[in-house]
Amino acid sequence: MPVKHTMAALLLTSFSTLALGAAPAQAAGDSLVINGTEHRDPRGCYDTDRWPLVVDNRTDGPVHVFSDPGCTGRYVTTVDPGERKVDEHGQSVHVA
């Protein structure tokens, strides 16, 4: 009987380790880093007053950069998923 309990404990530990090991990889896939500040589960508009604007898109969708605060003004560029861009003219970033 002790062998069965030991095997069950080992299996449970193995499955728990696999499940926990997968979680951080998922979480890391949905963040946006703007000028070194990470935003988890980003949605909406983010302003910045630092130049140049550095955007590291760790989401699964495109991020749009605008020339003025509040995601107004002219459209400057798109930062695709997994892409990092530096822009001299951007003042805000929009995530859908």
Side-chain angles (χ1 to χ4, degrees):
M1 278 237 321
V3 172
K4 287 183 183 178
H5 290 282
T6 303
M7 288 298 289
L10 285 173
L11 285 173
L12 183 59
T13 301
S14 296
F15 287 127
S16 296
T17 302
L18 287 173
L20 290 174
Q26 268 184 327
D30 200 18
S31 68
L32 177 68
V33 180
I34 302 171
N35 291 339
T37 301
E38 182 176 28
H39 304 277
R40 292 289 201 170
D41 298 319
R43 299 286 179 263
C45 186
Y46 296 87
D47 290 343
T48 184
D49 59 356
R50 292 178 29 205
W51 293 276
L53 173 65
V54 180
V55 179
D56 186 2
N57 184 359
R58 299 176 186 172
T59 71
D60 59 357
V63 173
H64 303 288
V65 177
F66 292 87
S67 63
D68 295 331
C71 295
T72 62
R74 73 180 171 81
Y75 161 81
V76 175
T77 190
T78 296
V79 184
D80 290 321
E83 189 175 41
R84 181 178 189 266
K85 281 190 178 178
V86 177
D87 189 272
E88 292 288 331
H89 304 288
Q91 289 190 28
S92 58
V93 178
H94 185 267
V95 183

